[in-house]
Amino acid sequence: MTPGVTVWRCTACGSLFFPRRLLCATCHSPDFAEAQAVAARIEEITEIRHVLGQTHWAPRRLANVRTADGLAFTVGLLDGSQEGEEIALFQDGTAPFGRRLKESAA
Ligand SMILES: [Zn+2]
């Protein structure tokens, strides 16, 4: 698990994307530069209680988050963060996760 989530910024118009796209949805440029998103605010939480075919499934919480730059995506929550909270972002492989910014509140 590493701090921050790798996102892609269009070098032509500055639009941000996660996950990466082949072409910028705004200006259709194929050129992107990597950037790091380190924090975001939770807009909505979904709890996944059951998954078909999975017998040993612990409930997982997914959050729709939005960064200060306006980029929205979905992360797995590592703690009891609630809607409206600002969370720190992490990455495990290509999967994004988040938890409360303050260690003491976790
Ligand atoms: Zn662009």
Side-chain angles (χ1 to χ4, degrees), residues 27-98:
C27 74
H28 307 297
S29 164
D31 300 318
F32 294 90
E34 285 190 8
Q36 289 289 308
V38 296
R41 185 170 300 279
I42 297 174
E43 297 197 323
E44 190 174 15
I45 292 173
T46 304
E47 188 161 337
I48 311 296
R49 291 191 177 83
H50 303 284
V51 171
L52 212 60
Q54 297 277 341
T55 50
H56 299 287
W57 178 267
R60 293 184 194 181
R61 298 169 78 230
L62 300 178
N64 292 334
V65 303
R66 188 177 298 273
T67 68
D69 292 324
L71 179 64
F73 52 96
T74 303
V75 304
L77 286 178
L78 300 170
D79 61 13
S81 301
Q82 297 298 316
E83 289 175 7
E85 280 194 75
E86 189 88 3
I87 57 170
L89 299 173
F90 299 86
Q91 196 161 356
D92 185 8
T94 58
F97 292 92

Side-chain angles (χ1 to χ4, degrees), residues 9-32:
R9 184 185 298 276
C10 172
T11 56
C13 75
S15 294
L16 286 165
F17 298 97
F18 179 87
R20 186 173 191 169
R21 288 171 172 253
L22 287 175
L23 297 174
C24 174
T26 305
C27 74
H28 307 297
S29 164
D31 300 318
F32 294 90

